[in-house]
Amino acid sequence: MCSYIVEKAKLIGTAKGPNSRWMKVDTANVYSIGASEETLGRALKDFAKRDEVVIATKFGIVRDPADPMKRGFCGRPDYVRSACEASLKRL
């Protein structure tokens, strides 16, 4: 697990900014192997209103479970659906 995941309050303060009425957040299923989306989901649950958030998440990069440093790309429809469903659960 990566050590650069930030505290929830700091994450929200950074994403929202001092003068913003809504927050914009970019994430992906490969950031910290999904932990980024999980942390973001917990932070948003505690600190944000649903109508104040815009989330951009990405997918398509796949890792080899036996060697996480190996990466490939996938855009098959079944993968797209499963990646979106998994991201929604983590978020």
Side-chain angles (χ1 to χ4, degrees), residues 25-86:
V25 183
D26 176 77
T27 189
N29 62 358
V30 295
Y31 297 168
S32 301
I33 313 172
S36 173
E37 290 180 331
E38 291 170 351
T39 300
L40 178 59
R42 286 191 303 273
L44 293 174
K45 179 181 176 188
D46 293 342
F47 294 101
K49 295 178 183 172
R50 186 180 194 119
D51 63 345
E52 296 177 345
V53 180
V54 175
I55 300 172
T57 192
K58 299 165 292 303
F59 57 87
I61 298 174
V62 292
R63 294 180 183 212
D64 180 344
D67 182 0
M69 295 308 291
K70 283 187 178 177
R71 295 186 176 106
F73 301 96
C74 185
R76 291 188 325 265
D78 59 324
Y79 170 74
V80 171
R81 181 177 302 278
S82 67
C84 289
E85 289 172 354

Side-chain angles (χ1 to χ4, degrees), residues 1-7 32:
M1 197 63 60
C2 294
S3 60
Y4 57 83
I5 295 175
V6 297
E7 306 170 15
S32 301

Side-chain angles (χ1 to χ4, degrees), residues 10-21:
K10 186 175 181 181
L11 173 69
I12 296 302
T14 300
K16 196 164 187 178
N19 300 312
S20 181
R21 293 185 185 176

